[in-house]
Amino acid sequence: MSLPPTTTRFKNPRAKYNFQGRTCSISGVGSYVPARVLTNSELERMVDTTDEWITTRTGIKERHLAAKDEFTSDLASQAAQRAMERAGVTADQVDLIIVATITPDMPFPSTACLVQRRIGAHRAAAFDLEAACSGFIYALEIAQQFIMSRTYDTVLVIGAEKLSSIVDWTDRNTCVLFGDGAGAAVLQNRPNAHGLLTAVMGADGRKSDLLFMPGGGSRCPASSESIAGRAHYLRMEGRETFKNAVQAMLTAAEEAMRRCEIDISRIKCIIPHQANRRIIDAVGERLGAKAGQMFVNLHKYGNTSAASVAIALDEAVASGCLQRGDLALLIVFGAGLTWGAAVIEW
Ligand SMILES: CC(C)(COP(=O)(O)OP(=O)(O)OC[C@H]1O[C@@H](n2cnc3c(N)ncnc32)[C@H](O)[C@@H]1OP(=O)(O)O)[C@@H](O)C(=O)NCCC(=O)NCCS
């Protein structure tokens, strides 16, 4: 088995091996956000903040919130159904479901198992992946190993979050930043397509205390003390996280492009993690991105963690920004710390 012919546009990094596998493409994407919209003006009535502060410091105008009886697996299943429809794939064809999330429905069973039940993909293996906001790229890279090795033909990768369930709605430093939503991709081999060319993944556990949730795990199980100490809400050092995000996203993106022997001018659409407009602009500027090359939708959704680039990818495709044959650069960053970047021939 040989790789499809490359044009002079890029190099497939796998070409340097005696490649015996199959390439892995996204054959369909889909996303879902819950109906309820929470605007900045509503937040002004909840905490000591202003629309002006949130807009200028983050770029976020509104975010979507799941209903009380709507959970991460529900959002994930909706996005998955849409991606499967676009890919022309039925539930019984799915071999594996990976759900990237930090807000599973419950510690166990995995949200992926709940999605499997909900969409009726009863043949599929299923597990969750926790790499915080970087989860979707981590999941893509893992999924493509199964396609490349011919272990599975069809893998469903989902990034889904109900972050509103772990946000402290009395903390203005964090509650204005996050939202709920889900994005999904069906991964398969598409003959004569390169698909996912490369994915960079990185982590630095020494900085795990910049962004974390102390409660609910083995270290601090739920108790009246943990509830009184607000341990079941996320905590963040905003300024340090910001600095690390810019540097890590930049380094990951440069490494991914270096592997494909391309520069930024070859990329049709850059899809960065949607956390803060100023992070996106700083990364874009350092990469030398042109106006309009960076896809931005965070004004509508805020930071949806593992769902973020998946929702943005779906919207980039739906809006025509990204067409078959174009190169896309996905860049992520999150708690852990974790980061990643992927180059995809769409
Ligand atoms: C959180 C973030 C928006 C704060 O912006 P910033 O410009 O760094 O702001 P600072 O932390 O310097 O705070 C400036 C002031 O605004 C205040 N402030 C914080 N949130 C506020 C809000 N919602 N409304 C009004 N004021 C607010 C702070 O209390 C601080 O006041 P002080 O100077 O009196 O102490 C920014 O640091 C950020 O986006 N960090 C990265 C977050 C992220 O991406 N996390 C997820 C990674 S996956």
Side-chain angles (χ1 to χ4, degrees):
M1 172 82 191
S2 58
L3 289 165
T6 46
T7 65
T8 51
R9 291 186 310 141
F10 59 83
K11 180 177 168 69
N12 190 327
R14 293 191 209 107
K16 73 181 173 200
Y17 314 113
N18 182 17
F19 185 72
Q20 298 295 318
R22 291 184 300 189
T23 61
C24 170
S25 292
I26 297 178
S27 49
V29 273
S31 63
Y32 175 81
V33 288
R36 161 91 167 99
V37 174
L38 179 70
T39 62
N40 288 350
S41 340
E42 282 175 89
L43 274 166
E44 285 179 351
R45 298 193 287 276
M46 294 162 62
V47 287
D48 181 13
T49 192
T50 58
D51 172 43
E52 202 261 332
W53 192 95
I54 303 171
T55 306
T56 53
R57 297 297 180 105
T58 73
I60 300 164
K61 294 301 281 183
E62 56 191 36
R63 65 289 292 145
H64 290 245
L65 301 188
K68 268 208 165 105
D69 59 353
E70 194 175 27
F71 313 110
T72 298
S73 64
D74 299 317
L75 311 182
S77 300
Q78 296 276 3
Q81 301 275 19
R82 291 177 183 181
M84 285 160 53
E85 252 174 59
R86 303 242 172 82
V89 159
T90 53
D92 59 323
Q93 284 175 265
V94 178
D95 298 306
L96 171 66
I97 301 168
I98 307 176
V99 176
T101 187
I102 54 168
T103 48
D105 284 29
M106 49 188 112
F108 68 89
S110 69
T111 300
C113 282
L114 304 178
V115 170
Q116 188 230 40
R117 177 171 73 186
R118 177 84 183 260
I119 66 174
H122 303 301
R123 278 186 50 247
F127 66 88
D128 286 1
L129 181 152
E130 210 277 64
C133 303
S134 306
F136 190 70
I137 284 188
Y138 269 62
L140 282 183
E141 172 68 346
I142 291 165
Q144 71 102 22
Q145 305 291 333
F146 288 106
I147 306 275
M148 209 166 71
S149 65
R150 297 165 190 275
T151 308
Y152 294 132
D153 293 326
T154 303
V155 182
L156 188 53
V157 166
I158 308 168
E161 302 285 7
K162 183 175 178 177
L163 292 172
S164 59
S165 66
I166 59 164
V167 161
D168 183 346
W169 291 103
T170 66
D171 176 14
R172 70 173 184 175
N173 291 292
T174 52
C175 75
V176 302
L177 302 174
F178 299 97
D180 301 336
V186 175
L187 270 61
Q188 295 179 311
N189 169 251
R190 283 196 306 123
N192 301 319
H194 287 271
L196 184 58
L197 284 160
T198 196
V200 173
M201 300 190 293
D204 186 354
R206 290 168 299 185
K207 294 179 177 166
S208 52
D209 52 357
L210 289 185
L211 180 52
F212 68 111
M213 188 174 84
S218 59
R219 195 179 285 222
C220 174
S223 66
S224 41
E225 287 80 30
S226 73
I227 290 167
R230 309 188 82 73
H232 300 278
Y233 296 122
L234 68 82
R235 293 180 188 173
M236 183 180 68
E237 293 279 344
R239 254 179 249 184
E240 272 307 301
T241 306
F242 188 110
K243 278 191 251 165
N244 280 276
V246 174
Q247 192 49 52
M249 291 172 78
L250 188 64
T251 308
E254 283 173 343
E255 169 61 13
M257 289 191 291
R258 190 195 61 73
R259 290 183 191 172
C260 301
E261 298 182 3
I262 53 171
D263 64 28
I264 200 73
S265 66
R266 304 287 181 90
I267 302 287
K268 176 73 191 309
C269 186
I270 307 167
I271 303 181
H273 175 50
Q274 308 282 316
N276 184 316
R277 179 70 206 227
R278 290 185 296 137
I279 294 177
I280 294 174
D281 289 345
V283 172
E285 190 188 317
R286 285 168 176 74
L287 283 174
K290 289 202 209 73
Q293 215 177 351
M294 303 287 272
F295 191 86
V296 179
N297 67 359
L298 92 169
H299 51 288
K300 297 188 285 182
Y301 308 121
N303 181 349
T304 57
S305 189
S308 171
V309 287
I311 296 172
L313 178 64
D314 183 38
E315 292 197 347
V317 172
S319 66
C321 285
L322 195 57
Q323 310 210 354
R324 286 291 178 205
D326 291 339
L327 292 184
L329 172 66
L330 275 52
I331 322 172
V332 292
F333 173 83
L337 298 177
T338 55
W339 56 85
V343 177
I344 297 175
E345 186 201 29
W346 181 255

